[in-house]
Coordinates of all heavy atoms in Angstrom, one line a residue:
M24 N -9.8 -14.3 -36.8 CA -9.0 -14.4 -35.6 C -9.1 -13.1 -34.7 O -8.9 -12.0 -35.3 CB -7.6 -14.6 -36.1 CG -6.7 -15.3 -35.0 SD -5.0 -15.7 -35.7 CE -4.2 -14.1 -35.4
A25 N -9.3 -13.3 -33.5 CA -9.4 -12.2 -32.6 C -8.0 -11.7 -32.2 O -7.1 -12.4 -32.1 CB -10.2 -12.6 -31.4
T26 N -8.0 -10.3 -32.1 CA -6.8 -9.8 -31.6 C -6.7 -10.1 -30.1 O -7.8 -10.3 -29.5 CB -6.8 -8.2 -31.7 OG1 -8.0 -7.7 -31.3 CG2 -6.5 -7.9 -33.2
S27 N -5.6 -10.1 -29.5 CA -5.5 -10.5 -28.1 C -6.5 -9.7 -27.2 O -6.5 -8.5 -27.1 CB -4.1 -10.3 -27.6 OG -3.8 -8.9 -27.4
Q28 N -7.4 -10.5 -26.6 CA -8.4 -10.0 -25.8 C -7.9 -9.3 -24.5 O -7.0 -9.8 -23.8 CB -9.4 -11.1 -25.4 CG -10.6 -10.7 -24.6 CD -11.6 -10.0 -25.4 OE1 -11.7 -10.1 -26.6 NE2 -12.4 -9.2 -24.7
N29 N -8.4 -8.1 -24.2 CA -8.0 -7.5 -23.0 C -8.7 -8.2 -21.8 O -9.9 -8.2 -21.7 CB -8.5 -6.0 -23.1 CG -8.1 -5.2 -21.9 OD1 -7.8 -5.7 -20.8 ND2 -8.1 -3.9 -22.0
P30 N -7.9 -8.8 -21.0 CA -8.4 -9.6 -19.9 C -9.0 -8.7 -18.8 O -9.6 -9.2 -17.8 CB -7.2 -10.3 -19.3 CG -6.0 -9.5 -19.7 CD -6.4 -8.8 -21.0
F31 N -8.9 -7.4 -18.9 CA -9.5 -6.5 -18.0 C -11.0 -6.2 -18.3 O -11.7 -5.6 -17.5 CB -8.7 -5.2 -17.9 CG -7.4 -5.3 -17.2 CD1 -6.3 -5.5 -17.9 CD2 -7.3 -5.1 -15.8 CE1 -5.0 -5.6 -17.2 CE2 -6.1 -5.2 -15.1 CZ -5.0 -5.5 -15.9
I32 N -11.3 -6.5 -19.5 CA -12.7 -6.2 -19.9 C -13.7 -7.0 -19.0 O -13.5 -8.3 -18.9 CB -13.0 -6.5 -21.4 CG1 -12.1 -5.5 -22.2 CG2 -14.4 -6.4 -21.7 CD1 -12.3 -5.7 -23.7
Q33 N -14.6 -6.4 -18.4 CA -15.5 -7.0 -17.5 C -16.6 -7.8 -18.3 O -16.8 -7.6 -19.5 CB -16.1 -6.0 -16.6 CG -15.1 -5.5 -15.5 CD -15.3 -4.1 -15.2 OE1 -16.3 -3.5 -15.3 NE2 -14.2 -3.5 -14.7
A34 N -17.4 -8.5 -17.5 CA -18.4 -9.4 -18.0 C -19.5 -8.5 -18.9 O -20.0 -9.0 -19.9 CB -19.2 -10.1 -16.9
D35 N -19.7 -7.3 -18.5 CA -20.6 -6.5 -19.2 C -20.0 -5.8 -20.4 O -20.7 -5.0 -21.1 CB -21.2 -5.4 -18.2 CG -20.1 -4.5 -17.6 OD1 -19.0 -4.6 -18.0 OD2 -20.5 -3.7 -16.8
G36 N -18.8 -6.1 -20.7 CA -18.1 -5.6 -21.9 C -17.5 -4.2 -21.7 O -17.0 -3.6 -22.7
K37 N -17.5 -3.7 -20.5 CA -17.0 -2.4 -20.3 C -15.5 -2.4 -20.4 O -14.8 -3.3 -19.7 CB -17.5 -1.9 -18.9 CG -17.1 -0.5 -18.6 CD -17.7 -0.1 -17.3 CE -17.1 1.2 -16.7 NZ -15.8 1.1 -16.1
K38 N -14.9 -1.5 -21.2 CA -13.5 -1.5 -21.3 C -12.9 -0.6 -20.2 O -13.3 0.6 -20.1 CB -13.1 -0.9 -22.7 CG -11.8 -1.4 -23.1 CD -11.4 -0.9 -24.5 CE -10.0 -1.3 -24.8 NZ -9.2 -0.3 -25.5
P39 N -12.0 -1.1 -19.4 CA -11.4 -0.3 -18.3 C -10.5 0.7 -18.8 O -9.8 0.6 -19.9 CB -10.7 -1.3 -17.5 CG -10.3 -2.4 -18.4 CD -11.4 -2.4 -19.5
T40 N -10.4 1.8 -18.1 CA -9.4 2.9 -18.4 C -8.0 2.4 -17.9 O -7.9 1.4 -17.2 CB -9.8 4.1 -17.7 OG1 -9.7 4.0 -16.3 CG2 -11.2 4.6 -18.1
C41 N -7.0 3.1 -18.3 CA -5.6 2.9 -17.9 C -5.6 2.9 -16.4 O -5.0 2.0 -15.8 CB -4.7 3.9 -18.4 SG -4.3 3.7 -20.2
M42 N -6.2 3.9 -15.7 CA -6.2 4.0 -14.3 C -6.8 2.8 -13.6 O -6.4 2.4 -12.6 CB -6.9 5.3 -13.9 CG -6.0 6.5 -13.9 SD -4.3 6.3 -13.3 CE -4.7 6.0 -11.5
E43 N -7.9 2.3 -14.2 CA -8.6 1.2 -13.6 C -7.7 -0.1 -13.6 O -7.7 -0.9 -12.7 CB -10.0 1.0 -14.2 CG -11.0 2.0 -13.8 CD -12.3 2.0 -14.6 OE1 -12.2 1.4 -15.7 OE2 -13.2 2.6 -14.2
M44 N -7.1 -0.2 -14.8 CA -6.2 -1.4 -14.9 C -5.1 -1.3 -13.9 O -4.7 -2.3 -13.2 CB -5.6 -1.4 -16.4 CG -6.6 -1.8 -17.4 SD -5.9 -2.2 -19.0 CE -5.5 -0.7 -19.6
L45 N -4.5 -0.1 -13.9 CA -3.4 0.1 -13.0 C -3.8 -0.1 -11.5 O -3.0 -0.8 -10.8 CB -2.9 1.6 -13.1 CG -1.6 2.0 -12.5 CD1 -0.4 1.2 -13.0 CD2 -1.3 3.4 -12.7
Q46 N -4.9 0.3 -11.2 CA -5.4 0.1 -9.8 C -5.6 -1.3 -9.5 O -5.2 -1.8 -8.4 CB -6.8 0.9 -9.7 CG -7.0 1.3 -8.3 CD -5.9 2.2 -7.7 OE1 -5.6 3.2 -8.2 NE2 -5.3 1.7 -6.6
T47 N -6.0 -2.1 -10.4 CA -6.2 -3.5 -10.2 C -4.9 -4.2 -9.9 O -4.7 -5.0 -9.0 CB -6.9 -4.2 -11.4 OG1 -8.1 -3.5 -11.7 CG2 -7.2 -5.7 -11.1
I48 N -3.9 -3.8 -10.7 CA -2.5 -4.3 -10.5 C -2.0 -4.0 -9.2 O -1.5 -4.8 -8.4 CB -1.6 -3.8 -11.6 CG1 -2.1 -4.1 -13.0 CG2 -0.2 -4.3 -11.4 CD1 -1.8 -5.5 -13.5
L49 N -2.1 -2.7 -8.8 CA -1.5 -2.2 -7.6 C -2.2 -2.7 -6.4 O -1.6 -2.8 -5.3 CB -1.5 -0.6 -7.6 CG -0.6 0.0 -8.7 CD1 -0.8 1.5 -8.8 CD2 0.9 -0.4 -8.5
D50 N -3.4 -3.0 -6.5 CA -4.2 -3.6 -5.4 C -3.8 -5.1 -5.2 O -4.2 -5.7 -4.2 CB -5.7 -3.5 -5.6 CG -6.2 -2.0 -5.5 OD1 -5.4 -1.2 -4.9 OD2 -7.3 -1.7 -5.8
G51 N -3.1 -5.6 -6.1 CA -2.7 -7.0 -6.0 C -3.9 -7.9 -6.4 O -3.9 -9.1 -6.0
E52 N -4.8 -7.4 -7.1 CA -6.0 -8.2 -7.4 C -6.0 -8.8 -8.8 O -6.9 -9.4 -9.3 CB -7.3 -7.4 -7.2 CG -7.6 -7.1 -5.8 CD -8.7 -6.0 -5.6 OE1 -9.2 -5.5 -6.6 OE2 -9.0 -5.7 -4.5
A53 N -4.9 -8.4 -9.6 CA -4.9 -8.8 -11.0 C -4.5 -10.3 -11.1 O -3.7 -10.8 -10.3 CB -3.9 -7.9 -11.7
T54 N -5.1 -10.9 -12.1 CA -4.7 -12.3 -12.5 C -3.4 -12.2 -13.2 O -2.9 -11.2 -13.7 CB -5.8 -12.9 -13.4 OG1 -5.8 -12.2 -14.6 CG2 -7.1 -12.9 -12.7
R55 N -2.8 -13.4 -13.4 CA -1.5 -13.5 -14.1 C -1.8 -13.0 -15.6 O -0.9 -12.2 -16.1 CB -1.1 -15.0 -14.2 CG 0.3 -15.1 -14.6 CD 0.7 -16.5 -14.9 NE 1.9 -16.6 -15.6 CZ 3.1 -16.3 -15.0 NH1 3.1 -16.1 -13.7 NH2 4.2 -16.3 -15.7
E56 N -2.8 -13.3 -16.1 CA -3.2 -12.8 -17.5 C -3.2 -11.3 -17.6 O -2.8 -10.7 -18.5 CB -4.6 -13.4 -17.8 CG -4.7 -14.1 -19.1 CD -6.2 -14.5 -19.4 OE1 -7.0 -14.4 -18.5 OE2 -6.4 -14.8 -20.5
Q57 N -3.9 -10.7 -16.6 CA -4.0 -9.3 -16.5 C -2.7 -8.6 -16.4 O -2.4 -7.6 -17.0 CB -5.0 -8.9 -15.4 CG -6.4 -9.2 -15.7 CD -7.3 -8.9 -14.5 OE1 -6.9 -9.1 -13.4 NE2 -8.5 -8.5 -14.8
K58 N -1.8 -9.2 -15.5 CA -0.5 -8.6 -15.3 C 0.3 -8.7 -16.6 O 1.0 -7.7 -17.0 CB 0.3 -9.4 -14.2 CG -0.2 -9.0 -12.8 CD 0.6 -9.8 -11.8 CE 0.0 -9.7 -10.5 NZ 0.4 -10.8 -9.6
D59 N 0.2 -9.8 -17.3 CA 1.0 -9.9 -18.6 C 0.5 -8.9 -19.6 O 1.3 -8.3 -20.3 CB 0.8 -11.3 -19.2 CG 1.6 -12.4 -18.4 OD1 2.5 -11.9 -17.6 OD2 1.4 -13.6 -18.6
Y60 N -0.8 -8.8 -19.6 CA -1.4 -7.8 -20.6 C -1.0 -6.4 -20.3 O -0.6 -5.6 -21.1 CB -2.9 -7.9 -20.5 CG -3.6 -6.9 -21.4 CD1 -3.9 -7.2 -22.8 CD2 -4.0 -5.6 -21.0 CE1 -4.5 -6.3 -23.6 CE2 -4.5 -4.7 -21.8 CZ -4.8 -5.0 -23.1 OH -5.4 -4.1 -24.0
F61 N -1.0 -6.1 -19.0 CA -0.6 -4.7 -18.6 C 0.8 -4.4 -18.9 O 1.2 -3.3 -19.2 CB -0.9 -4.6 -17.1 CG -0.9 -3.1 -16.7 CD1 -1.8 -2.2 -17.1 CD2 0.2 -2.6 -16.0 CE1 -1.8 -0.9 -16.7 CE2 0.3 -1.3 -15.6 CZ -0.7 -0.4 -16.0
K62 N 1.7 -5.4 -18.7 CA 3.1 -5.2 -19.0 C 3.3 -4.8 -20.4 O 4.1 -3.9 -20.7 CB 3.9 -6.5 -18.6 CG 4.7 -6.4 -17.3 CD 5.5 -7.7 -17.1 CE 5.3 -8.3 -15.8 NZ 5.6 -9.7 -15.7
Q63 N 2.6 -5.5 -21.3 CA 2.7 -5.2 -22.7 C 2.1 -3.8 -23.0 O 2.7 -3.0 -23.8 CB 1.8 -6.2 -23.5 CG 2.7 -7.5 -23.8 CD 1.8 -8.5 -24.7 OE1 0.9 -8.1 -25.3 NE2 2.2 -9.7 -24.6
H64 N 1.0 -3.5 -22.3 CA 0.4 -2.3 -22.5 C 1.3 -1.1 -22.1 O 1.4 -0.1 -22.8 CB -0.9 -2.2 -21.7 CG -1.6 -0.8 -21.6 ND1 -2.4 -0.3 -22.6 CD2 -1.5 0.1 -20.7 CE1 -2.7 0.9 -22.2 NE2 -2.2 1.2 -21.0
M65 N 2.0 -1.3 -21.0 CA 2.9 -0.3 -20.5 C 4.0 0.1 -21.5 O 4.4 1.2 -21.5 CB 3.5 -0.8 -19.2 CG 2.9 -0.2 -18.0 SD 4.0 -0.4 -16.5 CE 4.6 -2.0 -16.6
D66 N 4.4 -0.9 -22.3 CA 5.5 -0.6 -23.2 C 5.1 0.5 -24.2 O 5.9 1.3 -24.6 CB 5.8 -1.8 -24.1 CG 6.6 -2.8 -23.2 OD1 7.2 -2.4 -22.3 OD2 6.7 -4.0 -23.6
G67 N 3.8 0.6 -24.5 CA 3.4 1.7 -25.4 C 2.6 2.8 -24.8 O 2.0 3.6 -25.5
C68 N 2.5 2.8 -23.5 CA 1.7 3.8 -22.8 C 2.5 4.5 -21.7 O 2.6 4.0 -20.6 CB 0.4 3.1 -22.2 SG -0.8 4.3 -21.5
M69 N 3.0 5.6 -22.0 CA 3.9 6.3 -21.1 C 3.3 6.7 -19.8 O 3.9 6.5 -18.7 CB 4.4 7.6 -21.8 CG 6.0 7.6 -22.0 SD 6.9 7.1 -20.6 CE 8.2 6.2 -21.3
P70 N 2.0 7.2 -19.8 CA 1.4 7.6 -18.5 C 1.3 6.3 -17.6 O 1.6 6.5 -16.4 CB 0.0 8.0 -18.9 CG 0.2 8.5 -20.4 CD 1.2 7.6 -21.0
C71 N 1.0 5.2 -18.1 CA 0.9 4.0 -17.3 C 2.3 3.6 -16.8 O 2.5 3.3 -15.6 CB 0.4 2.8 -18.1 SG -1.5 2.9 -18.2
Y72 N 3.2 3.7 -17.6 CA 4.6 3.3 -17.3 C 5.1 4.2 -16.1 O 5.6 3.7 -15.1 CB 5.5 3.4 -18.5 CG 7.0 3.1 -18.2 CD1 7.3 1.7 -18.3 CD2 7.9 4.0 -18.0 CE1 8.7 1.3 -18.0 CE2 9.2 3.7 -17.7 CZ 9.6 2.4 -17.7 OH 10.9 2.0 -17.4
K73 N 4.9 5.4 -16.3 CA 5.4 6.4 -15.3 C 4.6 6.2 -14.0 O 5.2 6.1 -12.9 CB 5.0 7.8 -15.8 CG 6.2 8.7 -15.9 CD 5.9 9.8 -16.8 CE 6.1 11.2 -16.2 NZ 5.8 12.3 -17.1
E74 N 3.3 6.1 -14.1 CA 2.5 5.9 -12.9 C 2.8 4.7 -12.2 O 2.9 4.6 -11.0 CB 1.0 6.0 -13.3 CG 0.0 5.9 -12.2 CD -0.1 7.3 -11.5 OE1 0.3 8.3 -12.0 OE2 -0.6 7.3 -10.3
Y75 N 3.0 3.6 -12.9 CA 3.2 2.3 -12.3 C 4.6 2.3 -11.5 O 4.6 1.9 -10.4 CB 3.3 1.3 -13.4 CG 3.6 -0.2 -12.9 CD1 2.6 -0.9 -12.3 CD2 4.9 -0.7 -13.0 CE1 2.9 -2.2 -11.8 CE2 5.2 -2.0 -12.5 CZ 4.2 -2.7 -11.9 OH 4.4 -4.0 -11.5
N76 N 5.6 2.9 -12.2 CA 6.9 2.9 -11.5 C 6.9 3.8 -10.3 O 7.6 3.5 -9.3 CB 7.9 3.3 -12.5 CG 8.3 2.1 -13.4 OD1 8.9 1.1 -13.0 ND2 7.8 2.1 -14.7
V77 N 6.2 4.9 -10.4 CA 6.1 5.9 -9.3 C 5.4 5.1 -8.1 O 5.9 5.2 -7.0 CB 5.3 7.1 -9.6 CG1 4.9 7.9 -8.4 CG2 6.2 8.0 -10.5
D78 N 4.4 4.5 -8.4 CA 3.6 3.8 -7.4 C 4.4 2.7 -6.7 O 4.4 2.5 -5.5 CB 2.4 3.1 -8.0 CG 1.1 3.6 -7.3 OD1 0.9 3.2 -6.2 OD2 0.4 4.4 -8.0
M79 N 5.2 1.9 -7.5 CA 6.0 0.8 -7.0 C 7.1 1.4 -6.1 O 7.4 0.9 -5.1 CB 6.6 0.0 -8.1 CG 5.6 -1.0 -8.7 SD 5.0 -2.0 -7.4 CE 3.7 -2.9 -8.2
A80 N 7.7 2.5 -6.5 CA 8.7 3.1 -5.8 C 8.2 3.6 -4.4 O 8.9 3.4 -3.4 CB 9.3 4.3 -6.6
I81 N 7.0 4.2 -4.4 CA 6.4 4.7 -3.2 C 6.2 3.5 -2.3 O 6.4 3.5 -1.1 CB 5.1 5.4 -3.5 CG1 5.4 6.7 -4.2 CG2 4.4 5.7 -2.2 CD1 4.2 7.4 -4.8
K82 N 5.6 2.4 -2.8 CA 5.2 1.3 -2.0 C 6.5 0.7 -1.4 O 6.5 0.2 -0.2 CB 4.5 0.2 -2.8 CG 3.1 0.7 -3.1 CD 2.1 -0.4 -3.2 CE 0.7 0.1 -3.0 NZ -0.2 -0.3 -4.0
E83 N 7.6 0.6 -2.1 CA 8.8 0.1 -1.6 C 9.4 0.9 -0.5 O 9.8 0.5 0.5 CB 9.8 0.0 -2.7 CG 9.6 -1.2 -3.7 CD 9.5 -2.5 -3.0 OE1 10.4 -2.9 -2.2 OE2 8.5 -3.2 -3.2
L84 N 9.2 2.2 -0.7 CA 9.7 3.2 0.2 C 8.9 3.1 1.5 O 9.5 3.0 2.6 CB 9.5 4.6 -0.3 CG 10.2 5.7 0.4 CD1 11.7 5.8 0.1 CD2 9.6 7.1 0.0
L85 N 7.6 3.0 1.4 CA 6.8 2.8 2.6 C 7.0 1.5 3.3 O 7.0 1.5 4.6 CB 5.3 3.0 2.2 CG 4.9 4.4 1.8 CD1 3.4 4.3 1.3 CD2 5.1 5.4 2.9
K86 N 7.2 0.5 2.6 CA 7.5 -0.8 3.2 C 8.8 -0.7 4.0 O 8.8 -1.3 5.1 CB 7.6 -1.9 2.0 CG 6.8 -3.1 2.3 CD 7.1 -4.2 1.3 CE 6.3 -4.1 0.1 NZ 6.8 -5.1 -1.0
A87 N 9.7 0.0 3.5 CA 11.0 0.1 4.2 C 10.8 1.0 5.5 O 11.5 0.8 6.5 CB 12.1 0.6 3.3
K88 N 10.0 2.0 5.3 CA 9.9 3.0 6.4 C 8.9 2.6 7.5 O 9.1 2.8 8.7 CB 9.5 4.3 5.9 CG 10.5 4.9 4.9 CD 11.4 6.0 5.5 CE 12.4 6.5 4.5 NZ 13.6 6.9 5.1
C89 N 7.8 2.0 7.1 CA 6.7 1.7 8.0 C 6.8 0.3 8.5 O 7.2 -0.6 7.8 CB 5.3 1.8 7.3 SG 5.0 3.5 6.7
C90 N 6.4 0.1 9.8 CA 6.5 -1.3 10.3 C 5.4 -2.1 9.6 O 4.3 -1.9 9.7 CB 6.1 -1.2 11.8 SG 7.0 0.0 12.7
G91 N 5.9 -3.2 9.0 CA 5.0 -4.2 8.4 C 4.2 -3.6 7.3 O 3.3 -4.3 6.8
G92 N 4.5 -2.5 6.8 CA 3.7 -1.9 5.7 C 2.3 -1.5 6.0 O 1.5 -1.3 5.1
N93 N 2.1 -1.3 7.3 CA 0.7 -0.8 7.7 C 0.7 0.7 7.6 O 0.8 1.3 8.7 CB 0.3 -1.3 9.1 CG 0.1 -2.8 9.1 OD1 -0.5 -3.4 8.1 ND2 0.5 -3.5 10.1
C94 N 0.6 1.2 6.4 CA 0.6 2.7 6.3 C -0.8 3.3 6.4 O -1.8 2.6 6.0 CB 1.2 3.0 4.9 SG 2.8 2.4 4.7
P95 N -0.9 4.4 7.0 CA -2.2 5.0 7.1 C -2.9 5.2 5.7 O -2.2 5.6 4.7 CB -1.9 6.4 7.7 CG -0.5 6.4 8.1 CD 0.2 5.3 7.4
E96 N -4.1 5.0 5.7 CA -4.9 5.2 4.4 C -4.8 6.6 4.0 O -4.8 7.5 4.8 CB -6.4 4.8 4.7 CG -7.2 4.5 3.5 CD -6.7 3.3 2.7 OE1 -6.2 2.4 3.3 OE2 -6.7 3.4 1.5
G97 N -4.5 6.8 2.7 CA -4.4 8.2 2.2 C -3.0 8.7 2.1 O -2.7 9.6 1.3
L98 N -2.0 8.0 2.8 CA -0.7 8.5 2.8 C 0.0 8.3 1.4 O 0.6 9.2 0.9 CB 0.1 7.7 3.9 CG 1.6 8.2 4.0 CD1 1.7 9.6 4.4 CD2 2.3 7.3 5.0
V99 N -0.3 7.1 0.8 CA 0.2 6.8 -0.5 C -0.3 7.8 -1.5 O 0.5 8.4 -2.3 CB -0.2 5.4 -0.9 CG1 0.3 5.1 -2.4 CG2 0.5 4.4 0.0
E100 N -1.6 8.2 -1.4 CA -2.2 9.1 -2.3 C -1.5 10.5 -2.2 O -1.2 11.2 -3.2 CB -3.7 9.3 -2.0 CG -4.5 8.1 -2.4 CD -4.2 7.6 -3.8 OE1 -4.2 8.4 -4.7 OE2 -4.0 6.4 -4.0
Q101 N -1.2 10.9 -1.0 CA -0.6 12.2 -0.7 C 0.8 12.2 -1.4 O 1.1 13.2 -2.0 CB -0.4 12.4 0.8 CG -1.7 12.9 1.4 CD -1.5 13.1 3.0 OE1 -0.4 13.5 3.4 NE2 -2.5 12.7 3.7
I102 N 1.5 11.2 -1.1 CA 2.9 11.1 -1.7 C 2.8 11.1 -3.2 O 3.6 11.8 -3.9 CB 3.7 9.9 -1.2 CG1 3.8 10.0 0.4 CG2 5.1 9.8 -1.8 CD1 4.4 8.7 1.0
K103 N 1.9 10.4 -3.7 CA 1.8 10.2 -5.2 C 1.5 11.6 -5.8 O 2.0 11.9 -6.8 CB 0.6 9.3 -5.5 CG 1.1 8.1 -6.3 CD 0.1 7.0 -6.3 CE -1.0 7.2 -7.3 NZ -2.0 6.1 -7.2
A104 N 0.6 12.3 -5.2 CA 0.2 13.6 -5.7 C 1.4 14.5 -5.7 O 1.6 15.2 -6.7 CB -0.9 14.2 -4.8
K105 N 2.2 14.4 -4.7 CA 3.4 15.2 -4.6 C 4.4 14.8 -5.7 O 5.0 15.7 -6.5 CB 4.1 15.0 -3.3 CG 4.6 16.3 -2.7 CD 5.1 16.1 -1.3 CE 4.5 17.1 -0.4 NZ 4.9 16.9 1.0
V106 N 4.6 13.5 -5.9 CA 5.6 13.0 -6.9 C 5.1 13.4 -8.3 O 5.9 13.8 -9.1 CB 5.7 11.5 -6.8 CG1 6.6 11.0 -7.9 CG2 6.4 11.1 -5.4
N107 N 3.8 13.2 -8.5 CA 3.2 13.5 -9.8 C 3.4 15.0 -10.2 O 3.7 15.3 -11.3 CB 1.8 13.2 -9.9 CG 1.6 11.7 -10.2 OD1 2.4 11.1 -10.8 ND2 0.5 11.2 -9.8
S108 N 3.3 15.9 -9.2 CA 3.4 17.2 -9.5 C 4.9 17.6 -9.9 O 5.2 18.6 -10.5 CB 2.9 18.1 -8.4 OG 3.7 17.9 -7.2
T109 N 5.8 16.8 -9.4 CA 7.2 17.1 -9.7 C 7.6 16.5 -11.1 O 8.4 17.0 -11.8 CB 8.2 16.5 -8.6 OG1 7.5 15.4 -8.0 CG2 8.5 17.6 -7.6
I110 N 7.0 15.3 -11.4 CA 7.5 14.6 -12.7 C 6.6 15.1 -13.9 O 7.0 14.8 -15.0 CB 7.5 13.1 -12.6 CG1 6.2 12.5 -12.3 CG2 8.6 12.7 -11.6 CD1 6.1 11.0 -12.4
A111 N 5.5 15.7 -13.6 CA 4.5 16.0 -14.7 C 5.1 17.0 -15.7 O 5.9 17.8 -15.3 CB 3.2 16.5 -14.1
Ligands
LIG14 ZN1 -2.2 3.0 -20.3

């Protein structure tokens, strides 16, 4: 019996890193399966949990501040770097 397969594993068998999984989720490109898997993964992975929540908080903030959520490319990264340096 196979342990629950990581749905993020690509066709070539390459196992994605936490960051790659997170990026897929945040880009809105994840399948339902991948989202479910990641939610479980987050329970035991503090860096992912932290990063995910910081990212979501930033996106919500930007959505509220920017018209239609059309934020300049790179702005999210800048804020994230700032937030990360404070919570690290
Ligand atoms: Zn992780």
Side-chain angles (χ1 to χ4, degrees):
M24 203 175 86
T26 47
S27 71
Q28 181 75 24
N29 183 339
F31 284 93
I32 292 178
Q33 284 144 27
D35 59 5
K37 186 176 168 280
K38 206 175 172 224
T40 63
C41 283
M42 275 317 292
E43 283 166 348
M44 289 194 281
L45 189 62
Q46 207 52 57
T47 306
I48 301 277
L49 294 171
D50 286 347
E52 288 167 2
T54 63
R55 197 192 164 74
E56 231 187 343
Q57 289 175 321
K58 281 181 195 160
D59 286 348
Y60 177 88
F61 191 75
K62 256 184 230 158
Q63 275 181 24
H64 167 82
M65 256 199 315
D66 284 343
C68 188
M69 245 315 145
C71 279
Y72 181 81
K73 240 161 124 182
E74 185 76 16
Y75 178 79
N76 283 287
V77 166
D78 238 286
M79 280 305 170
I81 293 171
K82 286 213 163 133
E83 285 305 307
L84 192 78
L85 289 177
K86 231 190 268 168
K88 299 258 180 213
C89 299
C90 313
N93 291 322
C94 303
E96 199 61 38
L98 181 61
V99 175
E100 291 307 313
Q101 278 177 40
I102 300 175
K103 241 164 82 178
K105 220 171 228 179
V106 175
N107 275 335
S108 63
T109 27
I110 61 172

